[in-house]
Amino acid sequence: MKVASAVILAASALVQSQAASPVAKVLQLLTDLSAKIIKQGEGAQKVYSDFSEWCEERSGDLNYEIKTGKSSVAELQAAIAQETATAESLQAKLEQLAGDIATDEADLKAATHIRETEKSNFAASEKELSETIDTLRRAISIIEREM
């Protein structure tokens, strides 16, 4: 590229001495074109440098996010395992309490049956004793009248 520029410049100097010939015009156009291409190349290099810098920054950010995400995954898996164990122990306790409730309900039913039986026995005994007391009162009143 430098050699081509040097050749163009040398040809340009030669052409300027021949003032406005068609070759001079072509060389002038080539010189202008070369300068324009170099300017566009510098602009493209700047855009490429900016894009490359952005890509490197983004890559660093993504790597950090990946590391953070992996540590979060590990923490969340540990929390899930712990909560699963807690749920299993609570399920076992729930089953134990359900068994205890069933046992207590059976005991309550048996105790209620015993109390009902005792109540009916007490009612029968009370009725018999009340009749006996009533009979004794009548007997006492008859004895008192006869005396």
Side-chain angles (χ1 to χ4, degrees):
M1 181 98 180
K2 290 181 182 180
V3 173
S5 295
V7 169
I8 292 174
L9 288 175
S12 171
L14 180 65
V15 170
Q16 286 179 357
S17 65
Q18 297 176 356
S21 73
V23 175
K25 287 182 182 179
V26 170
L27 285 178
Q28 183 61 39
L29 288 174
L30 286 175
T31 304
D32 293 345
L33 182 62
S34 174
K36 184 178 178 183
I37 290 173
I38 289 171
K39 186 176 178 183
Q40 287 178 348
E42 289 171 353
Q45 182 63 36
K46 172 78 169 115
V47 169
Y48 173 78
S49 296
D50 291 346
F51 181 70
S52 176
E53 183 180 332
W54 177 81
C55 287
E56 289 176 14
E57 288 176 6
R58 184 67 179 141
S59 174
D61 292 345
L62 289 176
N63 285 335
Y64 175 75
E65 289 177 13
I66 289 170
K67 287 178 185 176
T68 304
K70 285 182 180 179
S71 67
S72 294
V73 166
E75 291 171 5
L76 291 173
Q77 286 176 340
I80 289 170
Q82 181 181 4
E83 295 304 323
T84 301
T86 301
E88 289 173 357
S89 69
L90 291 175
Q91 183 64 31
K93 188 172 183 177
L94 180 66
E95 290 172 0
Q96 178 187 2
L97 291 174
D100 291 348
I101 289 172
T103 302
D104 291 345
E105 286 177 349
D107 290 347
L108 178 63
K109 186 176 180 180
T112 302
H113 178 67
I114 291 170
R115 299 299 179 267
E116 288 174 356
T117 304
E118 289 175 350
K119 180 182 176 184
S120 65
N121 290 343
F122 174 76
S125 296
E126 183 181 30
K127 182 179 178 185
E128 184 181 324
L129 290 174
S130 292
E131 289 174 1
T132 304
I133 290 172
D134 189 44
T135 304
L136 288 175
R137 284 186 185 153
R138 282 184 284 151
I140 290 174
S141 93
I142 292 174
I143 293 176
E144 285 178 352
R145 270 188 277 158
E146 297 219 359
M147 279 203 177

